[in-house]
Amino acid sequence: MAQKVSRRDFFKVGGMAGVAASAVGLGIGSILGAPAEARAETITVTDFVYTCPLCGRQTTDYDALVKHFEEEHPEAAVPECATLAINGTEFKVQVEPHWTLRETLLKAVGLTGNAKEMCDRGGCGSCTVLIDGVPALSCTTLAVECQGKQIETSEGIAADERWRPLVEAYAKHDAAQCGYCTPGQFTVAKYIIEKYGQPTEEQIRAELSGNICRCGTYSRHVQAIQEAAAAIEGGN
Ligand code: FES
Ligand code: FES
């Protein structure tokens, strides 16, 4: 008789090392997920350990485990694994079919900027990421829908030297206060500069109209984005 194996049984993720941001990251960088210069050290997902639930064999290589499972336990079905391209890196992640992209970024990849929990129902915009260059709410997007697409988060944008003027302008103009809404606003800011080059106040306010800030930083985003746009020269 075929053995039934759940997805949870199949994967035992051994750990995600170094997910916590360092103490030096208490400025705009940490609000966006981690300081850009520390990003490579602090948000490195490592040491995955996959355990076969039927015989206990362990491997750090997903493909090797799938091969083992197919050869040694052909009677059991192999669960699926999603591959997501996040900030230019491909991540193989095990997700439940109902997991949103926000949950997946937080639980499976260890990102904390756009992925932290806010309204989680499409009302505030704080979870906004770019999917193939266009803003999308990660709390209302299924992770499995994102395979084959390019996902950008505030961490990836802040770590890109080309977008350093945007980070600096956000810090200079105090565009982040409590910081809850900031990763979503910041991600849309990149989209605005790429779309308009030198955006007007009206264009910025219209594009950011879905991003709610309870601290009332709205005017500061306009100042920061316009100043950064001039420095970035239209994102080109
Ligand atoms: S957390 Fe996604 S819109 Fe509020
Ligand atoms: S900075 Fe506090 S919610 Fe926007």
Side-chain angles (χ1 to χ4, degrees):
M1 191 172 82
Q3 292 168 273
K4 289 201 172 165
V5 180
S6 74
R7 289 164 189 254
R8 287 189 198 283
D9 289 339
F10 191 71
F11 290 92
K12 307 285 187 200
V13 177
M16 294 187 293
V19 169
S22 67
V24 296
L26 294 178
I28 182 75
S30 68
I31 289 171
L32 300 174
E37 60 276 10
R39 191 77 217 156
E41 296 172 9
T42 58
I43 307 293
T44 301
V45 180
T46 59
D47 300 334
F48 280 88
V49 176
Y50 301 101
T51 303
C52 174
L54 299 184
C55 68
R57 175 173 169 172
Q58 291 194 325
T59 175
T60 55
D61 184 285
Y62 173 78
D63 293 329
L65 180 60
V66 170
K67 189 165 181 290
H68 156 81
F69 207 73
E70 288 173 341
E71 289 176 356
E72 302 298 326
H73 311 293
E75 74 284 2
V78 178
E80 293 178 5
C81 184
T83 301
L84 299 177
I86 303 166
N87 297 327
T89 300
E90 288 211 335
F91 289 84
K92 257 182 183 170
V93 291
Q94 180 63 23
V95 295
E96 298 290 336
H98 61 276
W99 276 19
T100 64
L101 178 59
R102 187 196 69 73
E103 285 178 285
T104 305
L105 292 174
L106 187 66
K107 295 178 185 173
V109 185
L111 296 176
T112 57
N114 311 78
K116 66 186 177 304
E117 185 167 355
M118 288 289 283
C119 75
D120 209 29
R121 61 194 62 188
C124 73
S126 76
C127 65
T128 308
V129 299
L130 301 183
I131 299 178
D132 285 345
V134 177
L137 298 177
S138 62
C139 74
T140 57
T141 303
L142 291 175
V144 292
E145 292 179 82
C146 299
Q147 296 191 88
K149 300 178 180 175
Q150 295 296 322
I151 300 160
E152 292 175 79
T153 71
S154 58
E155 291 92 346
I157 299 166
D160 184 340
E161 205 50 42
R162 193 163 69 98
W163 293 95
R164 171 57 53 180
L166 188 58
V167 178
E168 291 171 352
Y170 262 64
K172 175 181 169 185
H173 291 283
D174 277 339
Q177 290 191 17
C178 79
Y180 274 94
C181 73
T182 313
Q185 307 254 24
F186 180 83
T187 304
V188 178
K190 182 203 181 218
Y191 166 78
I192 292 171
I193 293 173
E194 285 187 322
K195 180 175 179 181
Y196 297 101
Q198 306 295 321
T200 64
E201 177 173 348
E202 290 69 29
Q203 289 168 334
I204 294 170
R205 288 188 183 275
E207 296 288 358
L208 279 175
S209 59
N211 292 72
I212 308 302
C213 176
R214 65 184 178 183
C215 300
T217 58
Y218 299 108
S219 299
R220 302 185 179 206
H221 293 281
V222 175
Q223 294 165 351
I225 291 169
Q226 288 187 321
E227 184 168 302
I232 292 168
E233 295 180 341
N236 297 316

